[in-house]
Amino acid sequence: MHDAQHPAASGGIFDRLDADWAALCADPAIQAAVTDWLTADHLADGIAAATGVRTRPLAPDQLLAALRPVTGRVPDPLTDSVLRVLLRRAAGRDQSANVAARVVVQAMIPAAIRITRSQIRPTYGRSRDTVGHMTVAALYEVCRSGRIHHRPGRPAANLALDTLRLVLAELAAEQGSGTEDLSAAAVFVDPTPGPYRIAHARAMRAAAAAAGLPTGGPADEHEVYGARMELLELLLDAMQDGAISVADARILGGRYLAGAPDTLEAARSGTTAGAWQRRRSRAVTRLRTSLLRAAA
């Protein structure tokens, strides 16, 4: 199952997940459950049309094709809708919740492999499979948490970022450190964006420029996926909803999009670095509070 959309096989846990997936797809009870979910949520016809499979029941493979599409074949809004449906079901407490979470985990294996590769530290004595197990466990926990499907932005990126945070927290705890290096979020860049996402990214950059938010330099103008674009979309949505002010968004964008140090931003604003850090902390709190309200 490791194809052009799937990074090269990394062995161990990911190969076992692929083998387990083959058995899952062949289970008639699972096929019937998947068809029932998609029919109830009015997504079955859209997936059948997008994937070219008209037969019923719809097997988990067709669901995976919608969640991890070949470039341009499945519209991004359909992919997001299907993933939100699965995440909502995965937050339940019955057996179908486990199945829904398992489908999401399979769809997110490329991101899980990238997280694993980004966190392997030979000097720490961890094997690739050890970090892989940690990543898959974190991904499953996030799938079942019920936090993602309410959240603005693309659910796949939110899933990946929350998984990364859990992995970083666990690794930091093992090392006796309380910090998280979120620069590893750069591993989520998708090399094969579809035309919808390209147009959407251009519109976001235009809106960001109009609001005075940093949009990156010429080297970033073709970026359509990844943590930077997800954060940019999150800030724009929060501004539109009134959750944060334009000033808050500019403070957060300057730090987390442009990477400007607090001393530089403080000097530009005629204040001290400490005062600027407090302003940024309050802006982060307001943004976090708005996300928690949206997830409630």
Side-chain angles (χ1 to χ4, degrees):
M1 190 170 295
H2 300 281
D3 52 26
Q5 306 171 61
H6 198 303
S10 54
I13 180 64
F14 298 109
D15 285 346
R16 291 194 292 276
L17 284 173
D18 279 349
D20 175 72
W21 177 252
L24 191 76
C25 290
D27 188 331
I30 300 298
Q31 295 176 8
V34 167
T35 301
D36 288 346
W37 296 343
L38 298 177
T39 301
D41 289 289
H42 309 290
L43 292 170
D45 290 341
I47 289 179
T51 60
V53 177
R54 302 284 181 177
T55 59
R56 302 293 177 90
L58 289 170
D61 269 345
Q62 281 79 62
L63 197 52
L64 186 64
L67 291 170
R68 201 195 297 166
V70 176
T71 304
R73 284 193 56 188
V74 180
D76 286 353
L78 176 61
T79 297
D80 290 351
S81 296
V82 172
L83 187 50
R84 289 187 193 281
V85 164
L86 287 171
L87 288 168
R88 188 173 67 247
R89 293 187 178 278
R93 293 293 177 264
D94 56 10
Q95 182 59 32
S96 67
N98 291 323
V99 176
R102 178 63 183 86
V103 175
V104 175
V105 167
Q106 190 69 24
M108 294 295 294
I109 282 181
I113 290 177
R114 289 193 290 270
I115 291 173
T116 298
R117 287 175 175 167
S118 75
Q119 296 307 308
I120 294 173
R121 302 289 189 271
T123 57
Y124 291 175
R126 299 188 191 93
S127 70
R128 177 177 295 176
D129 206 40
T130 297
V131 180
H133 273 280
M134 187 183 299
T135 302
V136 171
L139 174 59
Y140 184 80
E141 180 180 338
V142 174
C143 289
R144 296 296 311 274
S145 69
R147 295 192 302 265
I148 301 298
H149 63 280
H150 294 294
R151 193 179 297 175
R154 300 206 70 194
N158 286 329
L159 265 173
L161 289 172
D162 274 25
T163 299
L164 175 62
R165 289 188 180 101
L166 285 181
V167 171
L168 289 171
E170 185 167 348
L171 292 174
E174 288 184 4
Q175 295 300 311
S177 167
T179 61
E180 296 180 359
D181 179 14
L182 290 182
S183 63
V187 301
F188 301 127
V189 174
D190 187 335
T192 56
Y196 169 87
R197 189 60 190 179
I198 292 172
H200 184 63
R202 287 173 179 164
M204 281 201 301
R205 276 194 290 271
L213 300 182
T215 58
D220 303 311
E221 64 181 7
H222 300 299
E223 181 184 0
V224 297
Y225 279 126
R228 280 175 47 86
M229 293 305 295
E230 291 300 328
L231 178 56
L232 184 59
E233 185 171 15
L234 185 63
L235 292 176
L236 290 171
D237 286 345
M239 285 171 50
Q240 183 176 358
D241 294 341
I244 61 174
S245 67
V246 174
D248 287 339
R250 288 173 180 170
I251 290 172
L252 296 173
R255 180 68 177 89
Y256 299 111
L257 291 174
D262 290 328
T263 51
L264 177 60
E265 294 283 35
R268 287 172 176 171
S269 300
T271 186
T272 66
W276 185 262
Q277 288 169 359
R278 289 190 291 274
R279 288 178 61 182
R280 177 162 54 82
S281 178
R282 289 192 293 270
V284 168
T285 298
R286 283 189 284 271
L287 179 61
R288 183 186 297 118
T289 300
S290 73
L291 294 176
L292 290 173
R293 281 200 301 266

Coordinates of all heavy atoms in Angstrom, one line a residue, residues 5 21 24-25 30-31 33-39 43-44 46-48 51 53 57-69 74 78-79 81-87 89 99-104 106-107:
Q5 N 1.5 8.3 -3.1 CA 0.9 9.1 -2.0 C 1.4 8.7 -0.7 O 1.2 9.4 0.3 CB -0.6 9.0 -2.0 CG -1.2 9.3 -3.4 CD -2.7 8.9 -3.3 OE1 -3.4 9.5 -2.5 NE2 -3.1 7.9 -4.1
W21 N -4.9 -3.5 7.6 CA -5.9 -2.7 6.8 C -6.4 -3.6 5.7 O -7.6 -3.6 5.4 CB -5.2 -1.5 6.2 CG -6.1 -0.7 5.3 CD1 -6.0 -0.7 3.9 CD2 -7.2 0.1 5.6 NE1 -6.9 0.1 3.4 CE2 -7.7 0.6 4.4 CE3 -7.7 0.5 6.8 CZ2 -8.8 1.5 4.4 CZ3 -8.8 1.3 6.8 CH2 -9.3 1.8 5.6
L24 N -9.1 -5.7 7.2 CA -10.2 -4.8 7.6 C -11.1 -4.6 6.3 O -12.3 -4.6 6.4 CB -9.7 -3.5 8.1 CG -10.8 -2.6 8.8 CD1 -11.2 -3.1 10.1 CD2 -10.2 -1.1 8.9
C25 N -10.4 -4.3 5.2 CA -11.2 -4.0 4.0 C -12.0 -5.2 3.5 O -13.0 -5.1 2.8 CB -10.2 -3.6 2.9 SG -9.5 -2.0 3.1
I30 N -17.6 -4.6 8.2 CA -17.0 -3.3 8.1 C -17.4 -2.6 6.9 O -17.8 -1.4 6.9 CB -15.4 -3.4 8.1 CG1 -14.9 -4.1 9.4 CG2 -14.8 -2.0 7.9 CD1 -15.3 -3.3 10.7
Q31 N -17.5 -3.3 5.7 CA -18.0 -2.7 4.5 C -19.4 -2.1 4.7 O -19.8 -1.0 4.3 CB -18.0 -3.7 3.4 CG -16.6 -4.1 3.0 CD -16.6 -5.2 1.9 OE1 -17.7 -5.5 1.3 NE2 -15.4 -5.8 1.6
A33 N -20.9 -1.2 7.5 CA -20.8 -0.1 8.4 C -20.4 1.2 7.7 O -21.0 2.2 7.9 CB -19.9 -0.4 9.6
V34 N -19.4 1.1 6.9 CA -18.9 2.2 6.2 C -19.9 2.8 5.2 O -20.2 4.0 5.2 CB -17.6 1.8 5.4 CG1 -17.3 2.9 4.3 CG2 -16.4 1.6 6.3
T35 N -20.6 1.9 4.5 CA -21.7 2.3 3.6 C -22.8 3.0 4.4 O -23.3 4.1 4.0 CB -22.3 1.1 2.9 OG1 -21.2 0.5 2.1 CG2 -23.4 1.6 1.9
D36 N -23.2 2.5 5.6 CA -24.2 3.1 6.4 C -23.8 4.5 6.9 O -24.6 5.4 6.8 CB -24.5 2.2 7.6 CG -25.3 0.9 7.2 OD1 -25.8 0.9 6.1 OD2 -25.3 0.0 8.1
W37 N -22.6 4.6 7.3 CA -22.1 6.0 7.8 C -22.2 7.0 6.6 O -22.7 8.1 6.8 CB -20.6 5.9 8.2 CG -20.3 5.0 9.3 CD1 -21.2 4.6 10.3 CD2 -19.0 4.6 9.7 NE1 -20.5 3.8 11.2 CE2 -19.2 3.8 10.9 CE3 -17.7 4.7 9.2 CZ2 -18.1 3.2 11.5 CZ3 -16.7 4.1 9.8 CH2 -16.9 3.3 11.0
L38 N -21.7 6.6 5.5 CA -21.6 7.6 4.4 C -23.0 7.9 3.8 O -23.3 9.0 3.4 CB -20.7 7.0 3.3 CG -19.3 6.8 3.7 CD1 -18.5 6.2 2.5 CD2 -18.6 8.1 4.2
T39 N -23.9 6.9 3.8 CA -25.3 7.2 3.4 C -26.0 8.1 4.4 O -26.7 9.0 4.0 CB -26.0 5.8 3.3 OG1 -25.3 5.0 2.3 CG2 -27.4 6.1 2.8
L43 N -22.8 11.4 2.0 CA -21.5 11.5 1.4 C -21.3 10.3 0.4 O -20.3 10.3 -0.4 CB -20.4 11.5 2.4 CG -20.3 12.8 3.3 CD1 -19.3 12.6 4.4 CD2 -19.9 14.0 2.5
A44 N -22.1 9.3 0.4 CA -21.8 8.1 -0.4 C -21.8 8.4 -1.8 O -20.9 7.9 -2.6 CB -22.9 7.0 -0.1
G46 N -21.2 11.3 -3.4 CA -20.0 12.1 -3.7 C -18.7 11.3 -3.8 O -17.9 11.4 -4.7
I47 N -18.6 10.3 -2.8 CA -17.4 9.5 -2.8 C -17.4 8.5 -4.0 O -16.4 8.3 -4.7 CB -17.3 8.7 -1.5 CG1 -16.9 9.6 -0.4 CG2 -16.2 7.6 -1.6 CD1 -16.8 8.9 0.9
A48 N -18.6 8.0 -4.3 CA -18.7 7.1 -5.5 C -18.4 7.8 -6.8 O -17.6 7.3 -7.6 CB -20.1 6.5 -5.5
T51 N -14.5 8.7 -6.7 CA -13.5 7.6 -6.8 C -13.8 6.7 -8.0 O -13.1 5.8 -8.3 CB -13.5 6.8 -5.5 OG1 -14.9 6.3 -5.3 CG2 -13.1 7.7 -4.4
V53 N -16.2 4.5 -8.2 CA -16.7 3.2 -7.7 C -18.2 3.3 -7.4 O -18.6 4.1 -6.5 CB -16.0 2.7 -6.4 CG1 -16.6 1.4 -5.9 CG2 -14.5 2.6 -6.7
P57 N -21.8 -2.6 -1.1 CA -21.4 -1.6 -0.2 C -20.0 -1.0 -0.6 O -19.2 -1.6 -1.4 CB -21.2 -2.3 1.1 CG -20.9 -3.7 0.7 CD -21.6 -4.0 -0.6
L58 N -19.8 0.2 -0.1 CA -18.5 0.9 -0.3 C -17.5 0.3 0.7 O -17.7 0.3 1.9 CB -18.6 2.4 0.0 CG -19.4 3.2 -1.1 CD1 -19.7 4.6 -0.6 CD2 -18.6 3.2 -2.4
A59 N -16.4 -0.2 0.2 CA -15.3 -0.8 1.0 C -14.5 0.4 1.6 O -14.5 1.5 1.1 CB -14.5 -1.7 0.2
P60 N -13.8 0.1 2.7 CA -12.9 1.1 3.3 C -11.9 1.6 2.4 O -11.4 2.7 2.5 CB -12.2 0.3 4.5 CG -13.3 -0.7 4.9 CD -13.9 -1.1 3.6
D61 N -11.5 0.8 1.3 CA -10.5 1.3 0.3 C -11.1 2.5 -0.4 O -10.3 3.4 -0.7 CB -10.2 0.2 -0.7 CG -9.0 -0.7 -0.2 OD1 -8.3 -0.2 0.7 OD2 -8.8 -1.7 -0.8
Q62 N -12.4 2.5 -0.7 CA -12.9 3.7 -1.4 C -12.9 4.9 -0.4 O -12.7 6.0 -0.8 CB -14.4 3.4 -1.8 CG -14.5 2.6 -3.1 CD -14.3 1.1 -2.9 OE1 -15.1 0.5 -2.1 NE2 -13.3 0.6 -3.5
L63 N -13.2 4.6 0.8 CA -13.1 5.7 1.8 C -11.7 6.3 1.9 O -11.5 7.5 2.0 CB -13.5 5.2 3.2 CG -13.9 6.1 4.3 CD1 -15.0 7.1 3.8 CD2 -14.4 5.4 5.5
L64 N -10.7 5.4 1.9 CA -9.3 5.8 1.9 C -8.9 6.6 0.7 O -8.2 7.6 0.8 CB -8.4 4.6 2.1 CG -6.9 4.9 2.3 CD1 -6.7 5.6 3.6 CD2 -6.1 3.6 2.2
A65 N -9.5 6.2 -0.5 CA -9.2 7.0 -1.7 C -9.7 8.4 -1.6 O -9.1 9.3 -2.2 CB -9.8 6.2 -2.9
A66 N -10.8 8.6 -0.9 CA -11.3 9.9 -0.7 C -10.5 10.7 0.3 O -10.4 11.9 0.2 CB -12.8 9.9 -0.3
L67 N -10.0 10.0 1.3 CA -9.2 10.7 2.3 C -7.8 11.0 1.9 O -7.1 11.9 2.4 CB -9.2 9.9 3.6 CG -10.6 9.8 4.3 CD1 -10.5 8.7 5.4 CD2 -11.0 11.1 4.9
R68 N -7.3 10.2 1.0 CA -5.9 10.3 0.5 C -5.9 10.3 -1.0 O -5.4 9.4 -1.6 CB -5.0 9.2 1.1 CG -3.5 9.5 1.2 CD -2.7 8.2 1.4 NE -3.0 7.6 2.6 CZ -2.6 6.4 2.9 NH1 -2.0 5.6 2.1 NH2 -2.9 5.8 4.1
P69 N -6.4 11.3 -1.6 CA -6.7 11.3 -3.0 C -5.5 11.5 -3.9 O -4.5 12.1 -3.5 CB -7.7 12.4 -3.2 CG -7.3 13.4 -2.2 CD -6.9 12.6 -1.0
V74 N -10.2 14.1 -6.2 CA -11.2 14.3 -5.2 C -11.1 15.7 -4.6 O -10.1 16.2 -4.2 CB -11.0 13.3 -4.0 CG1 -12.1 13.5 -2.9 CG2 -11.1 11.9 -4.5
L78 N -14.7 17.7 -0.2 CA -15.2 16.4 0.1 C -14.3 15.6 1.0 O -14.8 15.0 2.0 CB -15.4 15.6 -1.3 CG -15.8 14.2 -1.1 CD1 -17.2 14.1 -0.5 CD2 -15.8 13.5 -2.5
T79 N -13.0 15.7 0.8 CA -12.0 15.0 1.7 C -12.2 15.5 3.1 O -12.2 14.7 4.1 CB -10.6 15.3 1.2 OG1 -10.4 14.8 -0.1 CG2 -9.6 14.7 2.2
S81 N -14.9 16.9 4.5 CA -16.2 16.5 5.0 C -16.2 15.0 5.4 O -16.7 14.7 6.5 CB -17.3 16.7 3.9 OG -17.4 18.0 3.6
V82 N -15.6 14.2 4.6 CA -15.5 12.8 5.0 C -14.7 12.6 6.3 O -15.0 11.8 7.2 CB -14.8 11.9 3.9 CG1 -14.6 10.5 4.3 CG2 -15.8 11.9 2.6
L83 N -13.6 13.3 6.4 CA -12.7 13.2 7.6 C -13.4 13.7 8.8 O -13.3 13.1 9.9 CB -11.4 13.9 7.4 CG -10.3 13.8 8.4 CD1 -10.1 12.3 8.7 CD2 -9.0 14.4 8.0
R84 N -14.2 14.7 8.7 CA -14.9 15.3 9.9 C -16.0 14.3 10.3 O -16.2 14.1 11.5 CB -15.6 16.6 9.5 CG -14.6 17.7 9.4 CD -15.3 19.1 9.3 NE -14.3 20.1 8.8 CZ -13.5 20.7 9.7 NH1 -13.5 20.4 11.0 NH2 -12.7 21.7 9.2
V85 N -16.7 13.6 9.3 CA -17.7 12.6 9.7 C -17.0 11.5 10.5 O -17.5 11.0 11.5 CB -18.3 12.1 8.4 CG1 -19.1 10.8 8.7 CG2 -19.3 13.1 7.9
L86 N -15.9 11.0 10.0 CA -15.2 9.9 10.7 C -14.7 10.3 12.1 O -14.8 9.5 13.0 CB -14.0 9.4 9.8 CG -14.4 8.6 8.6 CD1 -13.1 8.4 7.7 CD2 -15.0 7.3 8.9
L87 N -14.2 11.5 12.2 CA -13.7 12.0 13.5 C -14.9 12.1 14.5 O -14.7 11.9 15.7 CB -13.0 13.3 13.3 CG -11.6 13.2 12.7 CD1 -11.1 14.6 12.3 CD2 -10.6 12.5 13.6
R89 N -17.6 10.3 14.5 CA -17.9 9.0 14.9 C -16.8 8.4 15.8 O -17.1 7.6 16.7 CB -18.1 8.1 13.7 CG -19.4 8.5 12.9 CD -19.7 7.5 11.7 NE -20.9 7.9 11.0 CZ -22.1 7.7 11.4 NH1 -22.3 7.0 12.6 NH2 -23.2 8.1 10.7
V99 N -13.6 1.5 14.8 CA -13.4 1.3 13.4 C -13.2 2.7 12.7 O -12.3 2.8 11.8 CB -14.7 0.6 12.8 CG1 -14.5 0.5 11.3 CG2 -14.8 -0.8 13.4
A100 N -14.0 3.7 13.0 CA -13.8 5.0 12.4 C -12.4 5.5 12.7 O -11.8 6.1 11.8 CB -14.9 5.9 12.9
A101 N -12.0 5.4 13.9 CA -10.6 5.9 14.3 C -9.6 5.1 13.5 O -8.6 5.7 13.0 CB -10.4 5.7 15.8
R102 N -9.8 3.8 13.3 CA -8.8 3.0 12.5 C -8.7 3.5 11.1 O -7.6 3.5 10.5 CB -9.2 1.5 12.6 CG -8.3 0.6 11.8 CD -6.9 0.6 12.4 NE -6.0 -0.2 11.6 CZ -5.3 0.2 10.6 NH1 -5.5 1.4 10.1 NH2 -4.5 -0.6 9.9
V103 N -9.9 3.8 10.5 CA -9.8 4.3 9.1 C -9.0 5.6 9.0 O -8.2 5.9 8.1 CB -11.3 4.6 8.6 CG1 -11.2 5.2 7.2 CG2 -12.0 3.2 8.5
V104 N -9.3 6.5 10.0 CA -8.5 7.8 10.0 C -7.0 7.6 10.2 O -6.2 8.2 9.5 CB -9.1 8.7 11.1 CG1 -8.2 10.0 11.2 CG2 -10.5 9.1 10.9
Q106 N -5.3 5.0 9.2 CA -4.8 4.5 8.0 C -4.6 5.7 7.0 O -3.6 5.8 6.3 CB -5.7 3.5 7.4 CG -5.1 2.8 6.2 CD -3.9 1.9 6.5 OE1 -3.9 1.4 7.7 NE2 -3.1 1.6 5.6
A107 N -5.6 6.6 7.0 CA -5.4 7.7 6.1 C -4.3 8.7 6.4 O -3.7 9.3 5.6 CB -6.8 8.5 6.1

